[in-house]
Amino acid sequence: AAEIMKSVINEEASRLKDLRDRLIPSVLEAIPKSYLNGHPEKRLHNNAHFRFDYIEGESLILSLRDANVSGATGSACSSKTLEPSHTLISMGLLHEEAHGSLLFSLGRNSKESDIGRAIEVLPGVVRRLRKLSPLTPSYLLKEYNEVNK
């Protein structure tokens, strides 16, 4: 396995970086009040980590799972604690910001269609969850309502 990976690692890293670099700007452009966690370029080739204001990561993960999109978060559903990721907190995020995080990890089986599916589904999921959240400001809800007219 190590020999096989050694022979394809550069090509695979480039492929994953291309997928990641399609995903990140698409998500940030499509979803208001969305942010990239970490440096935009100095990051792992297979990593895209976002945060979304006014929603919790656990609800986000469950909603994405219902739409056949896989992701992870550092919230209670994955760590069995209500504390947010200590890494995100040490980066300067507030607790409520860290709770709205979503990690996409790409791998050998990740395809362009997977990225397309995530880009297609994620904005609607975030919009729906924000409409349910008592924390979402009225101006953002108004924008969502105008889009749906």
Side-chain angles (χ1 to χ4, degrees):
E3 288 297 321
I4 292 170
M5 195 59 201
K6 182 179 174 184
S7 70
V8 299
I9 194 163
N10 291 334
E11 180 181 317
E12 183 64 6
S14 178
R15 186 184 77 80
L16 293 175
K17 182 181 181 301
D18 289 345
L19 291 175
R20 179 203 71 193
D21 290 348
R22 176 173 176 234
L23 178 64
I24 290 173
S26 296
V27 168
L28 297 176
E29 290 170 16
I31 303 173
K33 297 292 189 180
S34 62
Y35 309 90
L36 182 67
N37 290 325
H39 194 278
E41 296 165 9
K42 296 177 184 176
R43 61 187 318 112
L44 295 172
H45 297 301
N46 70 331
N47 173 288
H49 199 282
F50 303 96
R51 69 180 166 89
F52 306 95
D53 287 350
Y54 318 117
I55 60 173
E56 288 190 339
E58 183 175 2
S59 299
L60 186 58
I61 294 298
L62 294 174
S63 295
L64 288 173
R65 186 180 303 153
D66 289 344
N68 294 317
V69 175
S70 297
T73 184
S75 70
C77 67
S78 63
S79 64
K80 307 227 185 309
T81 177
L82 294 177
E83 291 300 312
S85 162
H86 67 278
T87 303
L88 295 176
I89 297 300
S90 69
M91 290 171 51
L93 270 63
L94 301 173
H95 279 60
E96 57 271 17
E97 293 171 332
H99 275 300
S101 292
L102 170 67
L103 170 65
F104 287 117
S105 293
L106 308 174
R108 292 217 41 169
N109 294 322
S110 298
K111 301 180 293 288
E112 185 73 30
S113 61
D114 298 325
I115 300 303
R117 177 74 177 152
I119 292 168
E120 173 189 343
V121 169
L122 187 57
V125 168
V126 170
R127 184 180 318 113
R128 183 181 65 78
L129 293 174
R130 284 181 174 164
K131 285 181 176 181
L132 295 172
S133 172
L135 302 176
T136 305
S138 58
Y139 78 86
L140 192 54
L141 292 174
K142 183 178 176 185
E143 287 178 27
Y144 286 145
N145 290 333
E146 289 175 4
V147 169
N148 290 335
K149 285 183 180 180

